[in-house]
Amino acid sequence: MDRPNWAPEGVDLHQPSIARVYDYFLGGSHNVAADRQLGEFMLTTEPQFPQLVRANREFLVRAVRLLVAQGVRQFVDIGSGIPTFNNTHEVAQNAAPDARVVYVDVDPVAVAHSREILAGNDRVAVIQADVRDPDKILSDPALRALIDLSEPVGVLLLGLLHYIPDSAQPGGIVGRLRDATAPGSFLVLSHSSWSTAIPDMAQMQDKYNTEVGAELTPRSRDEIVALFDGYELVEPGVVEYPDWRPHDDTVAIAPGGILTFYVAVGRKPG
Ligand code: SAM
């Protein structure tokens, strides 16, 4: 297989990656045959994946605009993915040109492509890091150069924490990010949820985990609400995507699908 010029040396293109399968569902161009094959298999179980991931991006747009309207000018987007459209810095800087954004992802393709498209934008930085080590992210010199932790920050964890199993304590990770940020900071979260009692879903989850090397962990609405410990939920709270402040751009999701995206925004009081 010819190595595409966007794939850094060392990236195994025979193994699908979380970021590249997601890029495939979003209609991006940073995916290879292995990603597309796994994506197509997933569509046989949940045909609405493309709508669900577009809905997730649409939520990002509305949540970032809301935070800018609340005066937030700095954002840390963790598990940011391969840039496609409606990236956090575009949304934030369109609304407030002085907004600063730090992107964080473990995936080398996501990081390389982010660096490429962001070259020359001195209000954006990209860090390759794992959300499981929030202190490393928070102390990274690139983050500290742009983000003043004594001022409110919008922390985005979109489509990320379902990759963090309970054993890695996602609540502890969110708690560390909450404690390190100033009062008036926000947490923007989306998290998927499904029943592992559905045989097709359990089979899809096993195949996905084996192929990309993940530990997908769906969570119930109550478990997702608990991730907002120490935050005040912004109206309408933790809801399924179509119910979060619906408006003209809300992506249509057919009811009765087996995968749900819960979304919410929380504000650190004070
Ligand atoms: N946040 C983007 C969005 O909502 O459109 C992308 C979501 S994509 C489903 C999940 C992203 O999280 C991928 O880019 C993947 O590489 C990244 N990721 C997965 N596990 C991670 C970890 N432990 N630390 C940091 N990033 C991670």
Side-chain angles (χ1 to χ4, degrees), residues 4 6 11 43 70 82 84 145 177 217:
W6 47 258
V11 172
L43 287 174
Q70 298 283 318
I82 298 171
T84 45
L177 294 166
T217 306

Side-chain angles (χ1 to χ4, degrees), residues 154-236:
V155 175
L156 277 62
L157 304 176
L158 291 174
L160 174 64
L161 292 183
H162 43 235
Y163 296 108
I164 306 300
D166 291 345
S167 59
Q169 300 183 339
I173 294 169
V174 176
R176 181 67 199 116
L177 294 166
R178 180 199 62 222
D179 291 347
T181 47
S185 291
F186 288 86
L187 171 65
V188 180
L189 186 96
S190 67
H191 195 301
S192 59
S193 188
W194 64 84
S195 167
T196 47
I198 300 171
D200 281 358
M201 212 55 196
Q203 192 198 1
M204 190 208 76
Q205 186 176 335
D206 282 351
K207 185 171 163 77
Y208 184 87
N209 285 348
T210 305
E211 293 203 11
V212 306
E215 285 182 81
L216 267 180
T217 306
R219 293 193 168 86
S220 66
R221 182 178 176 278
D222 284 351
E223 289 172 309
I224 296 165
V225 170
L227 292 170
F228 282 89
D229 186 33
Y231 288 96
E232 290 165 350
L233 283 165
V234 171
E235 283 297 316

Side-chain angles (χ1 to χ4, degrees), residues 115-160:
R115 291 205 167 118
E116 189 184 319
I117 67 161
L118 296 169
N121 188 333
D122 59 5
R123 278 163 288 115
V124 185
V126 187
I127 299 172
Q128 184 166 10
D130 194 316
V131 71
R132 293 168 213 235
D133 193 349
D135 288 319
K136 185 159 177 267
I137 294 172
L138 292 166
S139 61
D140 192 292
L143 182 143
R144 288 306 181 106
L146 284 183
I147 306 291
D148 176 357
L149 292 175
S150 68
E151 292 290 322
V153 182
V155 175
L156 277 62
L157 304 176
L158 291 174
L160 174 64

Side-chain angles (χ1 to χ4, degrees), residues 46-67:
E46 173 52 270
Q48 291 205 93
F49 268 117
Q51 289 90 325
L52 289 160
V53 299
R54 275 210 309 281
N56 190 45
R57 299 296 294 186
E58 200 269 320
F59 169 64
L60 177 155
V61 173
R62 281 195 279 155
V64 169
R65 284 186 188 146
L66 173 75
L67 268 52

